[in-house]
PDB file of all heavy atoms in Angstrom:
ATOM      1  N   ASN A  73     -17.600   4.077  -0.135  1.00 95.00           N
ATOM      2  CA  ASN A  73     -18.506   3.173   0.580  1.00 95.00           C
ATOM      3  C   ASN A  73     -17.769   2.686   1.825  1.00 95.00           C
ATOM      4  O   ASN A  73     -17.239   1.578   1.852  1.00 95.00           O
ATOM      5  CB  ASN A  73     -18.898   2.005  -0.325  1.00 95.00           C
ATOM      6  CG  ASN A  73     -19.935   1.088   0.313  1.00 95.00           C
ATOM      7  OD1 ASN A  73     -20.172   1.140   1.525  1.00 95.00           O
ATOM      8  ND2 ASN A  73     -20.550   0.239  -0.492  1.00 95.00           N
ATOM      9  N   TYR A  74     -17.720   3.528   2.847  1.00 94.00           N
ATOM     10  CA  TYR A  74     -16.892   3.227   4.007  1.00 94.00           C
ATOM     11  C   TYR A  74     -17.347   2.010   4.807  1.00 94.00           C
ATOM     12  O   TYR A  74     -16.493   1.290   5.354  1.00 94.00           O
ATOM     13  CB  TYR A  74     -16.758   4.467   4.894  1.00 94.00           C
ATOM     14  CG  TYR A  74     -15.981   5.565   4.205  1.00 94.00           C
ATOM     15  CD1 TYR A  74     -16.599   6.734   3.793  1.00 94.00           C
ATOM     16  CD2 TYR A  74     -14.628   5.403   3.917  1.00 94.00           C
ATOM     17  CE1 TYR A  74     -15.892   7.732   3.130  1.00 94.00           C
ATOM     18  CE2 TYR A  74     -13.913   6.395   3.260  1.00 94.00           C
ATOM     19  CZ  TYR A  74     -14.543   7.547   2.865  1.00 94.00           C
ATOM     20  OH  TYR A  74     -13.842   8.521   2.206  1.00 94.00           O
ATOM     21  N   PRO A  75     -18.650   1.729   4.906  1.00 96.00           N
ATOM     22  CA  PRO A  75     -19.027   0.467   5.568  1.00 96.00           C
ATOM     23  C   PRO A  75     -18.428  -0.754   4.861  1.00 96.00           C
ATOM     24  O   PRO A  75     -17.975  -1.696   5.514  1.00 96.00           O
ATOM     25  CB  PRO A  75     -20.552   0.484   5.496  1.00 96.00           C
ATOM     26  CG  PRO A  75     -20.911   1.936   5.458  1.00 96.00           C
ATOM     27  CD  PRO A  75     -19.844   2.565   4.626  1.00 96.00           C
ATOM     28  N   LEU A  76     -18.424  -0.742   3.538  1.00 96.00           N
ATOM     29  CA  LEU A  76     -17.818  -1.844   2.787  1.00 96.00           C
ATOM     30  C   LEU A  76     -16.331  -1.938   3.079  1.00 96.00           C
ATOM     31  O   LEU A  76     -15.809  -3.023   3.363  1.00 96.00           O
ATOM     32  CB  LEU A  76     -18.027  -1.635   1.284  1.00 96.00           C
ATOM     33  CG  LEU A  76     -17.206  -2.557   0.360  1.00 96.00           C
ATOM     34  CD1 LEU A  76     -17.626  -4.004   0.534  1.00 96.00           C
ATOM     35  CD2 LEU A  76     -17.340  -2.110  -1.094  1.00 96.00           C
ATOM     36  N   TYR A  77     -15.636  -0.796   3.046  1.00 96.00           N
ATOM     37  CA  TYR A  77     -14.187  -0.809   3.264  1.00 96.00           C
ATOM     38  C   TYR A  77     -13.853  -1.274   4.680  1.00 96.00           C
ATOM     39  O   TYR A  77     -12.881  -1.999   4.891  1.00 96.00           O
ATOM     40  CB  TYR A  77     -13.588   0.577   3.000  1.00 96.00           C
ATOM     41  CG  TYR A  77     -13.993   1.177   1.666  1.00 96.00           C
ATOM     42  CD1 TYR A  77     -14.127   2.552   1.520  1.00 96.00           C
ATOM     43  CD2 TYR A  77     -14.277   0.374   0.565  1.00 96.00           C
ATOM     44  CE1 TYR A  77     -14.513   3.119   0.321  1.00 96.00           C
ATOM     45  CE2 TYR A  77     -14.668   0.928  -0.647  1.00 96.00           C
ATOM     46  CZ  TYR A  77     -14.788   2.297  -0.763  1.00 96.00           C
ATOM     47  OH  TYR A  77     -15.185   2.848  -1.958  1.00 96.00           O
ATOM     48  N   GLY A  78     -14.658  -0.865   5.652  1.00 96.00           N
ATOM     49  CA  GLY A  78     -14.438  -1.310   7.022  1.00 96.00           C
ATOM     50  C   GLY A  78     -14.633  -2.805   7.175  1.00 96.00           C
ATOM     51  O   GLY A  78     -13.873  -3.477   7.886  1.00 96.00           O
ATOM     52  N   ASP A  79     -15.633  -3.333   6.491  1.00 97.00           N
ATOM     53  CA  ASP A  79     -15.894  -4.773   6.548  1.00 97.00           C
ATOM     54  C   ASP A  79     -14.752  -5.563   5.912  1.00 97.00           C
ATOM     55  O   ASP A  79     -14.306  -6.584   6.464  1.00 97.00           O
ATOM     56  CB  ASP A  79     -17.213  -5.078   5.836  1.00 97.00           C
ATOM     57  CG  ASP A  79     -17.570  -6.563   5.889  1.00 97.00           C
ATOM     58  OD1 ASP A  79     -17.739  -7.089   6.997  1.00 97.00           O
ATOM     59  OD2 ASP A  79     -17.659  -7.194   4.815  1.00 97.00           O
ATOM     60  N   MET A  80     -14.263  -5.103   4.781  1.00 97.00           N
ATOM     61  CA  MET A  80     -13.160  -5.789   4.110  1.00 97.00           C
ATOM     62  C   MET A  80     -11.883  -5.708   4.941  1.00 97.00           C
ATOM     63  O   MET A  80     -11.108  -6.670   5.030  1.00 97.00           O
ATOM     64  CB  MET A  80     -12.932  -5.193   2.726  1.00 97.00           C
ATOM     65  CG  MET A  80     -14.109  -5.361   1.769  1.00 97.00           C
ATOM     66  SD  MET A  80     -14.519  -7.085   1.432  1.00 97.00           S
ATOM     67  CE  MET A  80     -13.128  -7.574   0.422  1.00 97.00           C
ATOM     68  N   SER A  81     -11.663  -4.566   5.590  1.00 97.00           N
ATOM     69  CA  SER A  81     -10.506  -4.401   6.456  1.00 97.00           C
ATOM     70  C   SER A  81     -10.555  -5.389   7.619  1.00 97.00           C
ATOM     71  O   SER A  81      -9.548  -6.015   7.977  1.00 97.00           O
ATOM     72  CB  SER A  81     -10.450  -2.964   6.988  1.00 97.00           C
ATOM     73  OG  SER A  81      -9.393  -2.799   7.915  1.00 97.00           O
ATOM     74  N   ALA A  82     -11.745  -5.553   8.212  1.00 96.00           N
ATOM     75  CA  ALA A  82     -11.901  -6.485   9.329  1.00 96.00           C
ATOM     76  C   ALA A  82     -11.627  -7.922   8.896  1.00 96.00           C
ATOM     77  O   ALA A  82     -11.047  -8.711   9.658  1.00 96.00           O
ATOM     78  CB  ALA A  82     -13.310  -6.361   9.907  1.00 96.00           C
ATOM     79  N   LYS A  83     -12.023  -8.264   7.681  1.00 96.00           N
ATOM     80  CA  LYS A  83     -11.755  -9.614   7.183  1.00 96.00           C
ATOM     81  C   LYS A  83     -10.252  -9.869   7.063  1.00 96.00           C
ATOM     82  O   LYS A  83      -9.764 -10.945   7.421  1.00 96.00           O
ATOM     83  CB  LYS A  83     -12.441  -9.817   5.827  1.00 96.00           C
ATOM     84  CG  LYS A  83     -13.957  -9.914   5.915  1.00 96.00           C
ATOM     85  CD  LYS A  83     -14.584 -10.118   4.542  1.00 96.00           C
ATOM     86  CE  LYS A  83     -16.097 -10.236   4.646  1.00 96.00           C
ATOM     87  NZ  LYS A  83     -16.739 -10.394   3.317  1.00 96.00           N
ATOM     88  N   VAL A  84      -9.530  -8.880   6.562  1.00 96.00           N
ATOM     89  CA  VAL A  84      -8.072  -9.029   6.456  1.00 96.00           C
ATOM     90  C   VAL A  84      -7.458  -9.161   7.843  1.00 96.00           C
ATOM     91  O   VAL A  84      -6.604 -10.028   8.086  1.00 96.00           O
ATOM     92  CB  VAL A  84      -7.454  -7.829   5.702  1.00 96.00           C
ATOM     93  CG1 VAL A  84      -5.927  -7.894   5.734  1.00 96.00           C
ATOM     94  CG2 VAL A  84      -7.945  -7.800   4.256  1.00 96.00           C
TER      95      VAL A  84
END
Side-chain angles (χ1 to χ4, degrees):
N73 185 345
Y74 294 111
L76 168 65
Y77 309 148
D79 182 61
M80 297 299 289
S81 176
K83 289 180 179 178
V84 173

